[in-house]
C-alpha cells in the first residue's frame, strides 16, 4: 500500500489513455481514483503527488458533469434508460458497497443531515443504506412493476424507494423514524422531479405505518425483537387480504423464513448476505 514506485507508471498510463475522459466511463474512473488514492498513501515527492491529485480532480469534474446529465434525464422520466449502463446482471453477496453506490450518491445528491443523537433506541438498528445492487436484485426477483405499491420499512435517506420507482415506475413509499432523514430524502426526490404520488416519505414508527394496498414490503433489518414481531403481525394481516411479497436483506430474513404464511423459492431463505424474496401463501 502506498508504494510510490507504482505511482509514476499509473500516472503515465492514465495520462496517455483517453478512455477515462469519456463521460460514460464512470466505472473506469471510479477504479482509477481508488487506485490513485491507495498509492498516494505514503507517496513522496510533491510533483508526483500534484500530478496524481490533478488527475483525480479532473476525473471528479467529469463525474459531476455526468451526474448533472443523468439528473436531467431522470427529471424527463428517462431514469431506467439513464441508469441501465451501470446495472450489472450478476449480484455479488455481502453488504459492502460498490461503484453503483458511488454513482447513485452523486446522482441522488442526498444531503446527509446532522442527527442530534445518532444512537438508535432499543431494538432499532444503526442506519445503513442498502447496497444498490441488492435493491436491483430485489426488483428483478420480486418482479416489481409499475402496477405495484412498494413500502420500505426503515427507509433511511430514501435510496430504496427512489431507486425502485426510477427503475420500475412503481409507487414507492418510505417509512423512517428519524425526521431529519425523511426531510433529506424528500428534498432529494423533489430535486429529481419525483412527485409525492410517485415517491413519498413519512416520519413515523414502522408499527404505525399504513400498509393498506401495499404489494411489496422491503426491509433491510431496520429493527429487531418486539418491534419486528409487531411489524410481522401487521404484514401477516395484510397477507390474509391479498397476495403480497416481502423483500428482505440481513438477519430479518430468518424471521420471515419461519413464518408459515410465507414461502420462498430461494435456495436459502434464511440467507443474510443477499436479498431473499418471500411470497404470501394462498
Amino acid at each position: 500500500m502506498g508504494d510510490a514506485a507504482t505511482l509514476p507508471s499509473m500516472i503515465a498510463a492514465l495520462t496517455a489513455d483517453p478512455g477515462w475522459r469519456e463521460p460514460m466511463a464512470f466505472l473506469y474512473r471510479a477504479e482509477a481514483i481508488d487506485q490513485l488514492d491507495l498509492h498516494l498513501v505514503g507517496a513522496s515527492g510533491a510533483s508526483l503527488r500534484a500530478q496524481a491529485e490533478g488527475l483525480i480532480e479532473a476525473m471528479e469534474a467529469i463525474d459531476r458533469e455526468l451526474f448533472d446529465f443523468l439528473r436531467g434525464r431522470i427529471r424527463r422520466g428517462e431514469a431506467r434508460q439513464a441508469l441501465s449502463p451501470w446495472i450489472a446482471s450478476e449480484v455479488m453477496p455481502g453488504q459492502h458497497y460498490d461503484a453503483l453506490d458511488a454513482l447513485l450518491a452523486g446522482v441522488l445528491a442526498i444531503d446527509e443531515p446532522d442527527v442530534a443523537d445518532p444512537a438508535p433506541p432499543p431494538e432499532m438498528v444503526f442506519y445503513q443504506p442498502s447496497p444498490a445492487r441488492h435493491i436491483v436484485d430485489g426488483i428483478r426477483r420480486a418482479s416489481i412493476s409499475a402496477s405495484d405499491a412498494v413500502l420500505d420499512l426503515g427507509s433511511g435517506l430514501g435510496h430504496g424507494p427512489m431507486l425502485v420507482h426510477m427503475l420500475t415506475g412503481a409507487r414507492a413509499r418510505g417509512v423512517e423514524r428519524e425526521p431529519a432523514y425523511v426531510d433529506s430524502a424528500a428534498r432529494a426526490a423533489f430535486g429529481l422531479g419525483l412527485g409525492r404520488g410517485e415517491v413519498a416519505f413519512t416520519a413515523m414508527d414502522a408499527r404505525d405505518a399504513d400498509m393498506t394496498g401495499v404489494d411489496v414490503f422491503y426491509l433491510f433489518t431496520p429493527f429487531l425483537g418486539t418491534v419486528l414481531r409487531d411489524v410481522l403481525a401487521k404484514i401477516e394481516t395484510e397477507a390474509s387480504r391479498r397476495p403480497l411479497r416481502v423483500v428482505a436483506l440481513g438477519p430479518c430474513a430468518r424471521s420471515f423464513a419461519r413464518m408459515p404464511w410465507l414461502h420462498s423459492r430461494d435456495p436459502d431463505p434464511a440467507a443474510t448476505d443477499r436479498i431473499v424474496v418471500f411470497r404470501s401463501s394462498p
Side-chain angles (χ1 to χ4, degrees), residues 1-268:
M1 182 180 292
D3 181 1
T6 64
L7 192 54
S9 60
M10 289 180 61
I11 291 172
L14 288 168
T15 301
D17 183 1
W20 61 265
R21 296 178 176 85
E22 293 294 325
M24 299 294 283
F26 176 79
L27 299 181
Y28 185 173
R29 287 191 297 276
E31 183 175 351
I33 289 172
D34 283 347
Q35 290 298 312
L36 286 169
D37 279 334
L38 176 68
H39 291 290
L40 271 170
V41 177
S44 59
S47 175
L48 199 64
R49 293 186 66 87
Q51 291 179 67
E53 290 166 356
L55 282 168
I56 291 173
E57 289 173 4
M59 292 180 187
E60 289 177 341
I62 296 171
D63 286 345
R64 288 192 293 272
E65 292 179 3
L66 174 63
F67 300 152
D68 286 342
F69 170 73
L70 294 176
R71 279 194 288 269
R73 293 198 67 185
I74 291 168
R75 293 186 192 103
R76 294 193 298 272
E78 302 169 358
R80 190 183 316 176
Q81 303 93 316
L83 298 175
S84 62
W86 295 281
I87 295 177
S89 57
E90 183 178 358
V91 178
M92 298 298 293
Q95 294 181 9
H96 59 280
Y97 300 98
D98 57 24
L100 178 58
D101 297 287
L103 178 82
L104 288 173
V107 171
L108 299 182
I110 303 171
D111 57 290
E112 190 139 357
D114 292 325
V115 178
D117 184 7
E123 299 189 321
M124 299 290 179
V125 177
F126 273 101
Y127 171 60
Q128 183 179 357
S130 299
R133 69 186 183 282
H134 289 312
I135 298 173
V136 173
D137 188 36
I139 289 170
R140 287 174 178 153
R141 293 197 290 117
S143 302
I144 298 175
S145 70
S147 63
D148 285 321
V150 180
L151 178 60
D152 183 345
L153 294 165
S155 56
L157 289 168
H159 303 77
M162 283 188 271
L163 187 56
V164 166
H165 171 72
M166 289 190 297
L167 294 182
T168 70
R171 289 167 292 125
R173 291 191 291 126
V175 168
E176 166 57 44
R177 67 173 185 84
E178 177 53 63
Y181 288 168
V182 169
D183 290 344
S184 288
R187 282 194 298 274
F190 179 79
L192 291 168
L194 309 179
R196 283 192 59 84
E198 302 168 327
V199 179
F201 300 97
T202 307
M204 65 165 48
D205 189 302
R207 290 168 289 191
D208 299 324
D210 180 7
M211 299 182 181
T212 306
V214 173
D215 301 296
V216 184
F217 294 87
Y218 176 73
L219 298 92
F220 180 21
T221 313
F223 32 72
L224 305 166
T226 59
V227 179
L228 180 58
R229 181 201 65 195
D230 293 345
V231 168
L232 275 166
K234 285 196 69 172
I235 296 175
E236 182 180 7
T237 298
E238 296 301 314
S240 69
R241 298 168 177 160
R242 65 187 179 281
L244 55 79
R245 287 150 280 167
V246 176
V247 180
L249 178 61
C252 72
R254 298 193 189 107
S255 297
F256 286 108
R258 291 194 292 268
M259 297 298 106
W261 48 275
L262 288 172
H263 67 277
S264 176
R265 299 171 187 164
D266 289 43
D268 182 5

